[in-house]
Amino acid sequence: MPNQGVTLTTQILTEACQCVESQLGGAKDGRWKTALTYYRPALREASASGDLPRELLGVALHDQLGSYYFLLRAHRLILQADSSMQALMDKLQSYKPRVVLNFEGFQYRLGDFQVRVGKCVPSSEVLRGIMMEVEYLPLSSIEKSRQILEDFFDIWQDTVKKRSLPGHFILVEPNFADYGLQDHYTPQHTAVQYATCMTQLMAAVRN
Amino acid sequence: MECVVQGIIESQNNSHYMRHNNGVRLQHVEALQILLQGLCGVPKERVRVHELCLKSGPNLGVVPSEVRLLCDLAQPTPSWTVRHVGGAMRGAGAEQISVLVRTIVESKVGHNVLRFFYSLGYKLDHELLKEGFVFRFQRGAQITVTVTSANKMPKLYATDEAVPVTPGIQLVEITAPAAAENYSEVVAAVSSFCEYLAPLLHLSKPGVSMGIVPTAAAAAASLMSNSGAKTL
């Protein structure tokens, strides 16, 4: 989240990456890219949307290239499908993509952690945000790894403070149970996190 | 894309022929199975699919849309697939070939797919339970031959209470995936395979009904006696 009056630039991303590499000693492990697509229903009569969901979110995750995830936040529903599902929705023409957000950047290995730092860029190419994804590899239980990840985030905040970045990172806290997801972490959890991240970012920008 | 042909086959005794065959029961479907077994060289697999056809609600989409949800009940754990059948290839070239070439998009999906489409504004148009068997093999193309009876449910989703829509008749469907670059080869492979089945059934484009083959009974008898599969 940038400080008030500060324009987001790729310089901030470079600074964040520097933090991971120099201060924390992360080893660069490649690039990553996740795409979020906001769909809206195509209506025959614009005024009568009835109880159709206003928004359908599609997620293509960086490390799940064969899968696609659809989220209906209003219904707390997440559907896992093959990547061909995007083409299928396209054929139906009932929901059309309106906004595409690309999250892309570098990934790093830091001991038991895999860290991804990236920028959030809509199709208009204007930088909207910087995000970071931290994965604790040894555990799949959300409860068991909660403390470790919170500690990591605290260390990250301290590191970033020392660099005087013109902004601060906000921890995303989705409610996985709302979507019927369990304690065992899956790619569906990641998709929910991206959706929640965007909601929180947009709410923060509005405020 | 996929290439498709369909035909129908009788699945019950035809008492007219019983007199000519010393009371031997003729099961055309069984005969077809024996023929397919010989041609394909692979074992048959069981088919039990709950098919739900959903259509878009009144205001959804500039044009109406339709999607099929298929729940595979033959496996220990049911699995779901969603399918969109697109338009058939058109033009003089398409009319000349005896196989339908159409666009198709399919995806495996999670078990909450029905709730997903209902939430999107789709409604259940009809549902069927398809039961039978399938042969999947390679013969010039990746060919799938499915022989099923279509059953309707008296109550919503009641697959255990399904009854045949057309008792005594089963649907035979032959499909093969194709791409724009190779569909003519796939069409040729499917057409050529259909010729082997000609004595037992007419295969044609879906929607073009050719009825039951007059020689079916005789062909079935011959297959059954050759294989030694007789029931009294």
Side-chain angles (χ1 to χ4, degrees):
Chain A
M1 200 47 239
N3 290 340
Q4 194 127 18
V6 170
T7 313
L8 269 171
T9 64
T10 45
Q11 183 58 29
I12 302 178
L13 174 63
T14 315
E15 294 267 356
C17 287
Q18 278 284 306
C19 280
V20 178
E21 280 178 74
S22 337
Q23 258 88 313
L24 297 176
K28 203 179 263 187
D29 200 10
R31 289 176 170 272
W32 65 276
K33 183 173 170 175
T34 284
L36 253 72
T37 306
Y38 285 88
Y39 294 81
R40 294 272 148 75
L43 302 169
R44 239 160 279 168
E45 239 175 277
S47 50
S49 62
D51 51 5
L52 291 176
R54 275 181 24 244
E55 187 181 273
L56 170 67
L57 180 59
V59 184
L61 290 175
H62 46 76
D63 55 355
Q64 302 290 325
L65 296 175
S67 298
Y68 200 73
Y69 303 85
F70 274 113
L71 280 100
L72 278 169
R73 281 196 302 115
H75 297 80
R76 297 285 186 264
L77 210 161
I78 176 164
L79 180 76
Q80 180 165 343
D82 292 342
S83 48
S84 53
M85 191 67 181
Q86 249 190 310
L88 198 144
M89 286 305 293
D90 197 47
K91 289 276 179 190
L92 290 175
Q93 294 275 291
S94 49
Y95 284 78
K96 303 236 179 161
R98 291 285 177 242
V99 177
V100 179
L101 290 164
N102 287 309
F103 294 81
E104 52 191 301
F106 295 103
Q107 63 185 43
Y108 301 86
R109 191 63 193 261
L110 261 110
D112 286 332
F113 293 87
Q114 179 137 67
V115 177
R116 291 176 193 96
V117 187
K119 54 186 179 180
C120 170
V121 187
S123 27
S124 62
E125 305 277 325
V126 172
L127 185 63
R128 279 294 158 85
I130 307 287
M131 63 149 290
M132 192 163 141
E133 190 185 298
V134 181
E135 189 180 343
Y136 184 61
L137 299 163
L139 290 177
S140 294
S141 158
I142 296 170
E143 271 315 303
K144 293 202 180 95
S145 52
R146 186 181 295 281
Q147 192 58 55
I148 298 163
L149 284 165
E150 277 176 8
D151 290 346
F152 185 98
F153 188 67
D154 289 340
I155 294 168
W156 174 252
Q157 292 284 55
D158 289 340
T159 311
V160 155
K161 232 177 263 175
K162 293 197 188 94
R163 294 285 289 236
S164 313
L165 277 186
H168 60 278
F169 281 86
I170 309 168
L171 190 62
V172 172
E173 314 227 47
N175 189 338
F176 294 122
D178 263 1
Y179 287 85
L181 298 177
Q182 311 296 320
D183 181 63
H184 183 93
Y185 197 86
T186 65
Q188 292 191 41
H189 289 79
T190 308
V192 169
Q193 292 216 59
Y194 272 94
T196 312
C197 175
M198 284 318 300
T199 314
Q200 281 186 230
L201 180 67
M202 295 199 284
V205 163
R206 256 180 255 125
N207 299 334
Chain B
M1 283 165 81
E2 67 172 9
C3 296
V4 194
V5 282
Q6 285 178 350
I8 53 172
I9 190 159
E10 284 184 306
S11 59
Q12 274 181 3
N13 311 329
N14 186 329
S15 58
H16 170 76
Y17 289 97
M18 276 175 75
R19 277 180 289 138
H20 298 274
N21 290 278
N22 304 312
V24 167
R25 282 186 184 197
L26 295 177
Q27 291 279 1
H28 296 192
V29 169
E30 236 180 85
L32 176 60
Q33 208 173 290
I34 291 164
L35 179 56
L36 288 169
Q37 187 79 62
L39 288 170
C40 309
V42 296
K44 71 173 186 211
E45 292 162 46
R46 191 173 152 237
V47 169
R48 191 175 153 82
V49 175
H50 183 187
E51 188 174 299
L52 297 111
C53 181
L54 305 183
K55 291 196 172 153
S56 53
N59 195 27
L60 180 61
V62 172
V63 290
S65 54
E66 191 179 299
V67 71
R68 274 164 204 270
L69 303 190
L70 307 161
C71 183
D72 184 353
L73 299 170
Q75 307 304 322
T77 318
S79 62
W80 289 85
T81 303
V82 59
R83 220 165 186 252
H84 176 260
V85 177
M89 206 176 79
R90 286 200 217 292
E95 263 155 63
Q96 272 162 32
I97 54 178
S98 53
V99 171
L100 190 81
V101 183
R102 64 188 179 193
T103 56
I104 189 115
V105 186
E106 241 180 36
S107 169
K108 289 204 189 49
V109 281
H111 59 269
N112 53 352
V113 61
L114 186 59
R115 191 160 77 91
F116 174 75
F117 276 100
Y118 281 160
S119 301
L120 287 186
Y122 282 81
K123 318 271 180 220
L124 180 66
D125 186 73
H126 65 271
E127 54 176 338
L128 287 174
L129 177 70
K130 290 190 167 168
E131 282 195 295
F133 57 87
V134 62
F135 286 87
R136 292 179 230 270
F137 56 97
Q138 184 76 25
R139 197 187 185 95
Q142 189 58 37
I143 299 179
T144 301
V145 182
T146 316
V147 182
T148 50
S149 67
N151 305 276
K152 58 186 179 216
M153 269 75 82
K155 290 201 298 279
L156 197 60
Y157 313 145
T159 51
D160 290 337
E161 295 168 48
V163 291
V165 174
T166 51
I169 300 281
Q170 294 206 5
L171 177 71
V172 180
E173 191 174 75
I174 302 189
T175 60
E181 312 84 62
N182 75 346
Y183 78 85
S184 43
E185 282 122 56
V186 178
V187 163
V190 171
S191 299
S192 139
F193 184 76
C194 286
E195 296 195 4
Y196 289 106
L197 306 183
L200 269 178
L201 74 160
H202 277 309
L203 288 156
S204 56
K205 289 178 181 171
V208 178
S209 173
M210 304 284 276
I212 295 181
V213 172
T215 56
S222 166
L223 277 159
M224 300 296 278
S225 64
N226 286 347
S227 78
K230 295 193 215 313
T231 51
L232 291 168

